[in-house]
Amino acid sequence: MSNPTIDNIRRSLGRTSQTPLSPRPTIYPPRQAESLDSEVERFLDEIKKLSGIGQKLSPADIVSAMGSLVTQQDIRRATAWETPYLRQLGVTEMLNSLGVELVSPKASKHDMALCDLGITEADYLLAETGTLVLKSSAQQPRAVSLLPRIHLAMVRTELLRADMHQVFSETKENHYLVFITGPSRTADIELTVTLGVHGPRNLYVWVIEN
């Protein structure tokens, strides 16, 4: 019994039911990580290619960098994950000292969308594509990275992974992951790339050196 849908696909591909299957595509071996310095540089370079802004910072540089970000981007309202690492860095104290209004990461979507800045960590980093991988949970609400107009990720070098296979292997028990590769973008209208339509217009990534 023939299937009209399959028959249409075959015709569009110039094939018949008797056409032999094509050879299976080559399966490449998993990517191998290079030196840590090389991986960090590649990660930051990929972020730059994607219209993001990435840099390495020492803990002593964070206060100055936060002040510059708040001033340059006119940050008035912000929200941040309440994770042990961000508390250790003193993120909320920095924002308070700069006169930024803080919104709870558990606030409504409407309130989150009115924030100028959302600050998160990342759970994994993929140097090959400049991708941030974030686990979603009650402690790490995904809206913080998706709704404010600017997303700042404060990350550590030990989060770098060689490739996506390694990430999936380590996250078998996680049912929801957010993959972020550059600022939000779309080309729905006349194939013109536009930033910030479906999420943050700007992505900042600070790699905090130990």
Side-chain angles (χ1 to χ4, degrees), residues 37-165:
D37 286 343
S38 296
E39 292 291 283
V40 171
E41 291 304 320
R42 182 168 187 170
F43 176 66
L44 292 174
D45 186 53
E46 290 300 319
I47 289 172
K48 182 178 179 181
K49 291 177 183 177
L50 294 161
S51 304
I53 300 172
Q55 61 181 320
K56 292 185 289 185
L57 292 175
S58 70
D61 296 328
I62 297 175
V63 173
S64 175
M66 189 70 76
S68 297
L69 176 61
V70 167
T71 299
Q72 293 169 7
Q73 293 289 350
D74 191 25
I75 305 297
R76 300 185 182 185
R77 303 181 83 216
T79 184
W81 281 357
E82 297 172 343
T83 55
Y85 182 63
L86 293 185
R87 285 198 296 268
Q88 177 188 328
L89 294 177
V91 168
T92 55
E93 290 82 1
M94 290 180 214
L95 293 171
N96 275 323
S97 69
L98 293 165
V100 177
E101 178 188 350
L102 289 172
V103 175
S104 169
K106 299 177 183 178
S108 69
K109 293 179 181 178
H110 178 268
D111 288 338
M112 299 282 277
L114 293 176
C115 288
D116 302 300
L117 176 66
I119 301 176
T120 71
E121 298 182 50
D123 293 284
Y124 304 99
L125 310 173
L126 294 169
E128 189 174 26
T129 55
T131 299
L132 306 167
V133 184
L134 284 62
K135 296 177 182 177
S136 179
S137 67
Q139 292 72 38
Q140 299 183 180
R142 59 184 182 270
V144 175
S145 67
L146 300 176
L147 295 181
R149 66 180 174 89
I150 299 169
H151 176 206
L152 166 61
M154 304 175 73
V155 303
R156 294 158 286 162
T157 56
E158 58 262 35
L159 304 174
L160 283 160
R161 296 294 183 269
D163 66 12
M164 199 175 293
H165 297 288

